[in-house]
């Protein structure tokens, strides 16, 4: 039975979409996770191989890559990584021109075969989902088959983007947390870029300027930090955390 | 009389705890920059909670709750008893059920009322609410 967008989606997705320029990488044994991240990052223009990613993500003992390490390695490589969890989000991202990493179970009941692939397009009329799936040929799946394999992966998906771009289907809080996570793994330039991107998208929320101030401070940019924290304070003068950090930065500039 | 003493004592405990926290915040501010993570967790949780509470105050929601024979103050108390994580789950669920579009009008009112009746153990609509009874 073909995919019925009216019944399955709550968004208006275009009848077909294709993300161009996602390279097909032949995965090395068990490297579907690292290969997926490498494909998405190369699409965004990064010079990175599946081996580079594997060093940060792959667990040899498990013979695979954990979900958490997919997220963590993307962030350690300076990318914005946000999870998605349903068809609405998947198709909205693809329609917006973002490839999406999906977690699938390609096996049968008792014998699961866990796999990561990259969804690069779909076509309702042809009943097809297109994936770069660790082989040199594009993989084409009917929606029903894709749905079955993705459902058994609990509809887990990951949008990985450079920090000057934003996912279209993620909540603001999730993007904020992803930015703070970049700060935490010391990807300070990426964190700064993402806070700036978020501040442009959600200009009324002081947390973006607060994060921007902190990320600049951590890079030794005291005046830049002061400027961002002043903007944060202007957005909400009542927040003690902003005042405390601003005072801290100003004291350091004065000393 | 005894009860009142306990009440006063617990107020005092809460107040002094707040004082300690406030003092710590100031000390921390002098020692190092306050982190973005903590601020995000604190303030998004707060704004989620406030958003739900604000909706509870809407005239149509209040009217709906009263119509069901529920005391709005009790409904509010139940809502206040939810953890940050539970509030966040409720909002996520609410956004999904409302097609991720703007949550306005009837749908939202219905959602809040069902949520409240769930919290009061009168209905069992959402799997993420915790019935106290």
């Amino acid at each position: 039975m073909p995919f019925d967008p009216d019944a399955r989606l709550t968004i208006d997705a275009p009848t077909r979409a294709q993300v161009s320029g996602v390279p097909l990488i032949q995965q090395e044994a068990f490297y579907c996770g690292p290969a997926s991240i490498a494909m998405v990052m190369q699409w965004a223009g990064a010079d990175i191989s599946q081996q580079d990613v594997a060093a940060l993500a792959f667990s040899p003992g498990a013979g695979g890559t954990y979900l958490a390490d997919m997220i963590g390695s993307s962030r350690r490589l300076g990318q914005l990584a946000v999870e998605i969890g349903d068809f609405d989000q998947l198709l909205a991202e693809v329609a917006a021109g973002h490839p999406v990493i999906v977690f699938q179970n390609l096996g049968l009941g008792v014998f699961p075969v866990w796999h990561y692939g990259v969804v690069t397009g779909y076509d309702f009329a042809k009943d097809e989902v297109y994936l770069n799936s660790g082989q040199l040929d594009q993989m084409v799946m009917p929606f029903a088959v894709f749905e079955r394999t993705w459902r058994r992966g609990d509809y887990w998906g990951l949008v990985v983007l450079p920090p000057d771009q934003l996912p279209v289907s993620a909540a603001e809080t999730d993007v904020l947390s992803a930015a703070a996570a970049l700060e935490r793994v010391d990807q300070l330039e990426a964190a700064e870029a993402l806070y700036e991107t978020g501040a442009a998208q959600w200009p009324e929320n002081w947390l973006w300027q607060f994060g921007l101030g902190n990320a600049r401070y951590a890079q030794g940019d005291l005046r830049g930090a002061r400027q961002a924290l002043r903007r944060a304070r202007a957005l909400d003068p009542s927040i003690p955390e902003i005042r405390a950090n601003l005072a801290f930065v100003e004291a350091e500039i004065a000393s | 009389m005894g009860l009142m003493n306990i009440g006063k004592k617990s107020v005092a405990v809460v107040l002094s705890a707040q004082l300690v926290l406030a003092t710590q915040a100031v000390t921390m501010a002098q020692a190092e920059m306050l982190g973005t993570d903590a601020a995000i967790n604190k303030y998004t949780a707060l704004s989620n909670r406030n958003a739900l509470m604000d909706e509870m105050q809407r005239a149509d929601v209040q009217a709906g709750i009263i119509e069901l024979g529920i005391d709005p103050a009790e409904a509010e108390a139940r809502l206040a008893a939810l953890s940050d994580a539970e509030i966040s789950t409720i909002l996520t669920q609410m956004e999904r059920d409302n097609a991720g579009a703007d949550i306005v009008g009837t749908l939202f009112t219905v959602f809040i009322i069902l949520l409240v009746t769930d919290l009061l153990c009168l209905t069992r609509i959402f799997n993420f609410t915790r019935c106290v009874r």
Side-chain angles (χ1 to χ4, degrees):
Chain A
M1 199 170 65
F3 189 76
D4 178 2
D6 292 332
R8 292 301 311 273
L9 300 179
T10 58
I11 57 163
D12 275 328
T15 55
R16 75 182 71 81
Q18 184 68 49
V19 184
S20 60
V22 185
L24 285 153
I25 295 179
Q26 174 67 53
Q27 71 173 73
E28 292 176 18
F30 305 116
Y31 271 16
C32 57
S36 296
I37 292 177
M39 284 189 268
V40 173
M41 286 187 67
Q42 285 183 15
W43 161 82
D47 177 20
I48 190 142
S49 69
Q50 58 180 314
Q51 290 84 2
D52 297 335
V53 181
L56 303 175
F58 187 68
S59 299
T65 307
Y66 292 110
L67 299 179
D69 289 329
M70 293 289 284
I71 302 170
S73 61
S74 302
R75 289 177 177 160
R76 287 165 71 195
L77 292 163
Q79 302 298 296
L80 157 62
V82 174
E83 289 169 280
I84 60 146
D86 59 33
F87 267 107
D88 275 352
Q89 290 185 296
L90 173 67
L91 300 188
E93 292 299 340
V94 172
H98 303 151
V100 179
I101 297 171
V102 289
F103 183 56
Q104 298 166 286
N105 180 352
L106 301 176
L108 299 164
V110 289
F111 185 63
V113 178
W114 299 107
H115 183 70
Y116 295 100
V118 180
V119 176
T120 60
Y122 66 87
D123 189 325
F124 291 146
K126 289 185 180 161
D127 188 28
E128 288 174 345
V129 178
Y130 307 104
L131 297 114
N132 288 12
S133 198
Q135 294 147 10
L136 290 180
D137 293 322
Q138 185 182 55
M139 182 174 277
V140 181
M141 278 185 169
F143 263 94
V145 175
F146 173 75
E147 145 113 73
R148 203 156 53 237
T149 61
W150 195 33
R151 183 177 61 224
R152 289 184 300 181
D154 225 5
Y155 298 109
W156 189 90
L158 190 66
V159 181
V160 175
L161 291 171
D164 60 350
Q165 295 179 40
L166 293 176
V168 292
S169 70
E172 180 185 359
T173 310
D174 294 338
V175 183
L176 250 179
S177 299
L182 284 173
E183 235 190 290
R184 212 165 43 228
V185 298
D186 235 16
Q187 283 285 340
L188 298 170
E189 275 177 46
E192 181 178 356
L194 184 49
Y195 285 129
E196 281 171 344
T197 313
Q201 174 73 21
W202 294 287
E204 67 293 342
N205 187 347
W206 60 269
L207 279 163
W208 295 102
Q209 297 291 347
F210 183 74
L212 184 58
N214 285 354
R216 284 177 175 169
Y217 173 83
Q219 294 174 88
D221 175 10
L222 295 179
R223 283 167 205 287
R226 180 174 63 183
Q227 184 194 40
L229 290 167
R230 280 180 176 165
R231 284 196 197 128
R233 186 183 57 183
L235 287 168
D236 193 338
S238 75
I239 307 293
E241 282 84 350
I242 303 175
R243 292 199 304 269
N245 282 10
L246 187 55
F248 191 84
V249 169
E250 278 172 343
E252 213 163 296
I253 288 174
S255 68
Chain B
M1 193 58 185
L3 272 177
M4 268 181 73
N5 279 340
I6 291 171
K8 276 182 193 163
K9 201 178 273 179
S10 49
V11 168
V13 166
V14 169
L15 281 179
S16 54
Q18 278 175 343
L19 205 63
V20 168
L21 281 174
T23 318
Q24 272 180 346
V26 172
T27 321
M28 268 176 67
Q30 289 162 349
E32 59 182 0
M33 292 279 276
L34 303 177
T36 318
D37 258 330
I40 291 173
N41 291 340
K42 175 175 163 189
Y43 288 98
T44 54
L46 205 61
S47 75
N48 283 346
R49 190 172 288 277
N50 289 343
L52 263 187
M53 277 299 180
D54 284 351
E55 293 305 325
M56 286 273 296
Q57 307 308 320
R58 275 169 39 170
D60 51 346
V61 173
Q62 292 267 315
I65 293 171
I66 292 167
E67 208 171 293
L68 287 165
I70 298 164
D71 177 3
E74 174 61 16
E76 230 172 84
R78 293 291 171 95
L79 202 58
L82 296 179
S83 73
D84 288 345
E86 285 159 344
I87 296 249
S88 161
T89 310
I90 287 168
L91 282 171
T92 307
Q93 184 73 35
M94 194 143 57
E95 277 168 25
R96 291 216 170 155
D97 287 355
N98 284 283
D102 291 330
I103 305 167
V104 280
T106 328
L107 260 184
F108 196 76
T109 309
V110 168
F111 188 98
I112 295 278
I113 291 172
L114 290 178
L115 171 66
V116 165
T117 54
D118 251 22
L119 289 175
L120 293 168
C121 313
L122 301 174
T123 55
R124 204 79 197 94
I125 313 284
F126 306 114
N127 56 12
F128 49 83
T129 53
R130 179 185 52 189
C131 176
V132 186
R133 193 176 288 169

